[in-house]
Amino acid sequence: MPMTIELGVAELAATRFAISPLSETVACLLQIAGLDRNTVNQPWSRWAREELDREPLALSRTWPLLVTGRLSWPEFLVPAPRDSGDSLENDLDALRRTPEAQVRASLDRVFGEKLPHAAAALADDPTAGLREIAEELREAHDRLVAPHWPRIRAALEADVGYRARQLTTGGAERLFADLHPDLRWHSDRVTLAGERWRNRHRAVARGPGGLVLMPVVLGSPYVLIKNNTSTQTTIRYPARGTAALWAAGTRSPGAGTVRLLGRMRAGLLSALSSPATTTDLARAFGVTPSAVSQHLKVLRDSGLVTRERSGRGVLYQTTPLGERLL
């Protein structure tokens, strides 16, 4: 039997997308712990293990809450972003503001009445505990996510842009059906079915307002839904194009492509298998943004790359024609 979320017209109208650096941080720690490991992130996982071998992270307050031996962890670690996201400071501020009663209730749901030491210490003094957890997560983000954040953010923004087009052309039914094979929306209800959820029939206690749909790069291949929350209910799902993100720029364009386009344009075409901004590309190739823009104009006029505005920036990505040329 599936998990279900009642989602009427009013709640559907209030449903939105958001990007969360904190969500990526918690997700990457779970990947490091080997929980719901997503094989498409193996290049990042190898890099992260080498980074942590060089200098381990101190996560004495956070790690015991995530690596619990259970299939769940306290939902307050990833609060729903208040806006479209992309601000670690806002995410951490929302984490620190979790009501004390919600912290204790969440710990009880995960661990039961007999709390382990780290959870018991947090339940005794949630305010101080959340401050310490926020600082640990800030360091984890700076070490493991920030070095890759421009590329991760570009992939997340590209996913949101794609989903917005799905909603525009096919409505909520197409949007939810395309988020993940296990997810559907029909008759004022979102359902999460599939083999993984076979024995987890429950009605989700939806938070206030609509849902917050959050793509995740460094996370599980499964959909994750909050069962209880003091903020909006989040649905975290695997972002499109994650495998291409780590492969981008690692394959050398063929000799024929280089002869046709020139080495610089062929390199840009290869790098744009994962979406990126002009600034990202200029930094990666060690040239000026204006030089990148000139090359991108030629590639775009030739139908080899496409561009799409995302917030205040513009993302470029290789078209199917460009992929065939590569």
Side-chain angles (χ1 to χ4, degrees), residues 34-61:
L35 303 175
D36 282 346
R37 186 167 286 166
N38 195 337
T39 57
V40 300
N41 287 318
Q42 284 182 349
W44 173 88
S45 296
R46 287 193 294 268
W47 170 86
R49 285 195 295 271
E50 292 173 0
E51 176 68 16
L52 294 176
D53 287 343
R54 181 181 63 82
E55 183 181 353
L57 277 169
L59 299 169
S60 61
R61 298 301 297 266

Side-chain angles (χ1 to χ4, degrees), residues 82-219:
R82 290 192 291 266
D83 50 30
S84 60
D86 201 11
S87 169
L88 179 66
E89 292 308 315
N90 286 347
D91 284 348
L92 293 176
D93 183 58
L95 167 65
R96 289 188 293 262
R97 291 175 179 270
T98 306
E100 293 189 357
Q102 183 69 20
V103 171
R104 295 188 178 103
S106 179
L107 294 173
D108 287 343
R109 283 191 293 269
V110 174
F111 297 104
E113 294 183 0
K114 189 174 182 179
L115 299 180
H117 175 73
L122 178 58
D124 288 342
D125 190 351
T127 301
L130 290 177
R131 282 200 303 266
E132 294 179 26
I133 289 170
E135 289 309 307
E136 289 183 358
L137 289 170
R138 184 197 305 279
E139 184 178 0
H141 172 272
D142 291 347
R143 290 274 308 281
L144 302 176
V145 179
H148 307 281
W149 181 244
R151 296 169 69 195
I152 293 173
R153 183 195 62 230
L156 295 172
E157 290 176 346
D159 180 277
V160 171
Y162 171 82
R163 306 300 178 187
R165 292 192 296 273
Q166 293 293 91
L167 179 62
T168 300
T169 58
E173 190 167 2
R174 176 181 292 183
L175 168 67
F176 282 101
D178 195 49
L179 283 178
H180 193 275
D182 293 345
L183 203 61
R184 291 290 184 273
W185 177 82
H186 186 67
S187 300
D188 295 340
R189 177 178 294 177
V190 175
T191 60
L192 183 61
E195 187 65 30
R196 179 181 174 86
W197 317 105
R198 183 177 298 278
N199 298 317
R200 298 197 205 176
H201 175 62
R202 67 180 68 181
V204 173
R206 182 174 46 79
L211 305 176
V212 180
L213 308 178
M214 297 166 59
V216 182
V217 165
L218 295 175

Side-chain angles (χ1 to χ4, degrees), residues 185-326:
W185 177 82
H186 186 67
S187 300
D188 295 340
R189 177 178 294 177
V190 175
T191 60
L192 183 61
E195 187 65 30
R196 179 181 174 86
W197 317 105
R198 183 177 298 278
N199 298 317
R200 298 197 205 176
H201 175 62
R202 67 180 68 181
V204 173
R206 182 174 46 79
L211 305 176
V212 180
L213 308 178
M214 297 166 59
V216 182
V217 165
L218 295 175
S220 167
Y222 301 105
V223 172
L224 302 176
I225 298 178
K226 284 188 177 182
N227 292 321
N228 293 273
T229 179
S230 59
T231 61
Q232 284 181 277
T233 295
T234 59
I235 295 182
R236 299 164 70 230
Y237 62 91
R240 298 174 75 248
T242 296
L245 185 153
W246 302 122
T250 60
R251 57 176 172 172
S252 298
T257 307
V258 173
R259 286 196 300 271
L260 180 65
L261 300 178
R263 187 163 299 280
M264 182 65 184
R265 289 174 187 165
L268 288 171
L269 191 65
S270 176
L272 286 172
S273 292
S274 175
T277 66
T278 301
T279 302
D280 296 334
L281 294 168
R283 186 182 301 114
F285 284 84
V287 297
T288 64
S290 61
V292 170
S293 294
Q294 292 174 21
H295 290 303
L296 289 177
K297 184 178 187 305
V298 175
L299 294 173
R300 183 166 173 256
D301 290 346
S302 303
L304 300 177
V305 303
T306 185
R307 56 175 283 171
E308 180 175 330
R309 179 159 296 280
S310 178
R312 289 172 290 184
V314 175
L315 293 174
Y316 292 86
Q317 189 165 13
T318 304
T319 64
L321 175 61
E323 288 292 342
R324 290 196 296 274
L325 179 59
L326 285 170

